Amino acid sequence: MQTFVRVAEAGSFTAVADQMNVARSAVTRQIAALEAHLGVKLIARSTRRLSLTSAGAAYIEQCRDILDRIDEAEGNLAGERQTLRGTIRASVPMTFGLLHLTPLILEFSQAHPDIRIDLDFNDRRVNLIEEGMDFALRITDRLPETTVARRLTACRSVVVASPDYLRRHGEPKHPDELTRHACLAYSLTSRSSWPFIIDGAPHWVEISGPITANNGNALQEAAIQGMGILHEPTFIAAEAIREGKLVAILKAFPTPVLDMFAVFPGTRFVPQRVRVFVDFLAERLGPEPYWDRGLGLE
């Protein structure tokens, strides 16, 4: 039953086989045996993608309800034993994960040694169901209404440059002056512009410069070396600002504050071990992030 739900949600025997670390043939045999037991066809196979039959579509909702009840019952028992077990699979932004999540994972693992945490560090937006993730950390200003999520903390950005760059090129006093400066761009955004709030309204400034990259650490190192001005999250820039390697500029023109969410697959019950882990992250990160303290960006 659980395998059937996984295959239906992922739309692929191969993807589920990879998640379970078994041969594809083992998954297809399980589904064939279930169909033979029920006497109905649940999944229609095609060369492009799997789809549910009408019987399969009706059956899957009952399966989800049963599996959710099993998970809840096991979670309640685990709570009574005060011992959580199982695996938590999560997708997290690479730089944030390395800088701030790794120490928290170590702390959580010491408190819950029977939980195995499997993290995917990357900045792409994964399909939680297809890749078998329990949740993903996402930084955004809004989520679709149907998204099941838990807010963890705020995520601010800051415009920074090295003291050397500012000595050589001067410090811009207004965001529009950035068009005359070398700017370092993050390639995974959909726009070649940076957002500011001016007189209470969004204001976008087109930027260009010598380096574009898909990693915030690489861009920060370029900024420290005086290659240009950088707009990046404070969870990356905070330490370099405190050490004087970078200087926060244009502080009179704030950038929009985003939120960091734990996003869950919407059709699944969230196991207790996952809820406990996400609650732990929310408590440790705080509604106002600890890395912003003392930066003077309020």
Side-chain angles (χ1 to χ4, degrees):
M1 185 183 295
Q2 187 177 58
T3 301
F4 164 65
V5 172
R6 285 188 174 187
V7 170
E9 291 180 338
S12 167
F13 288 111
T14 301
V16 173
D18 290 342
Q19 293 172 18
M20 298 172 64
N21 197 28
V22 299
R24 182 182 184 277
S25 58
V27 177
T28 57
R29 282 197 300 270
Q30 287 188 39
I31 300 303
L34 179 63
E35 291 176 328
H37 172 71
L38 296 173
V40 295
K41 200 75 169 176
L42 299 174
I43 296 177
R45 286 84 161 167
S46 70
T47 57
R48 299 184 63 183
R49 187 173 175 83
L50 306 179
S51 60
L52 293 177
T53 63
S54 57
Y59 183 60
I60 194 172
E61 295 306 320
Q62 299 176 60
C63 290
R64 284 171 175 156
D65 182 62
I66 291 169
L67 292 172
D68 285 352
R69 290 176 182 272
I70 292 172
D71 277 344
E72 185 173 13
E74 292 179 347
N76 289 339
L77 287 175
E80 292 174 4
R81 295 193 310 267
Q82 296 184 343
T83 300
L84 299 175
R85 293 182 172 85
T87 298
I88 299 173
R89 299 193 70 226
S91 174
V92 301
M94 179 172 291
T95 301
F96 177 80
L98 294 174
L99 291 177
H100 301 283
L101 199 58
T102 300
L104 299 181
I105 291 169
L106 298 178
E107 180 184 351
F108 184 83
S109 294
Q110 289 174 347
H112 301 281
D114 293 321
I115 293 181
R116 178 176 176 268
I117 300 177
D118 183 355
L119 292 183
D120 179 21
F121 289 89
N122 68 72
D123 292 329
R124 65 187 177 88
R125 179 157 294 196
V126 303
N127 185 307
L128 298 179
I129 292 175
E130 288 186 1
E131 301 193 32
M133 297 292 175
D134 290 300
F135 72 94
L137 295 189
R138 290 184 181 159
I139 299 170
T140 182
D141 60 341
R142 65 175 63 88
L143 291 170
E145 291 184 2
T146 57
T147 302
V148 179
R150 164 81 184 273
R151 182 187 181 276
L152 299 180
T153 191
C155 185
R156 293 180 175 83
S157 292
V158 63
V159 180
V160 294
S162 70
D164 176 63
Y165 179 91
L166 297 176
R167 280 193 298 269
R168 289 185 289 115
H169 300 282
E171 179 178 341
K173 301 302 181 184
H174 190 279
D176 289 339
E177 295 178 27
L178 291 172
T179 59
R180 301 194 293 271
H181 284 266
C183 295
L184 307 170
Y186 184 61
S187 61
L188 294 184
T189 60
S190 59
R191 304 180 64 157
S192 59
S193 54
W194 291 346
F196 294 87
I197 303 297
I198 299 180
D199 296 329
H203 182 82
W204 290 84
V205 177
E206 292 292 324
I207 57 97
S208 62
I211 296 177
T212 299
N214 66 350
N215 180 266
N217 280 340
L219 293 172
Q220 177 168 276
E221 184 58 31
I224 290 172
Q225 297 300 322
M227 297 294 294
I229 296 175
L230 177 61
H231 171 277
E232 73 173 355
T234 54
F235 65 71
I236 304 177
E239 183 176 357
I241 294 173
R242 291 191 178 96
E243 293 176 350
K245 296 177 180 178
L246 294 174
V247 176
I249 62 175
L250 297 172
K251 291 192 288 184
F253 304 93
T255 60
V257 178
L258 306 180
D259 287 311
M260 180 179 294
F261 296 93
V263 177
F264 308 98
T267 58
R268 291 183 182 170
F269 171 79
V270 180
Q272 186 181 15
R273 62 182 176 274
V274 177
R275 296 199 304 270
V276 169
F277 183 44
V278 171
D279 288 345
F280 168 82
L281 294 181
E283 179 184 355
R284 290 296 188 271
L285 296 175
E288 295 299 321
Y290 61 83
W291 53 81
D292 283 352
R293 295 169 191 161
L295 293 184
L297 302 177
E298 296 80 5

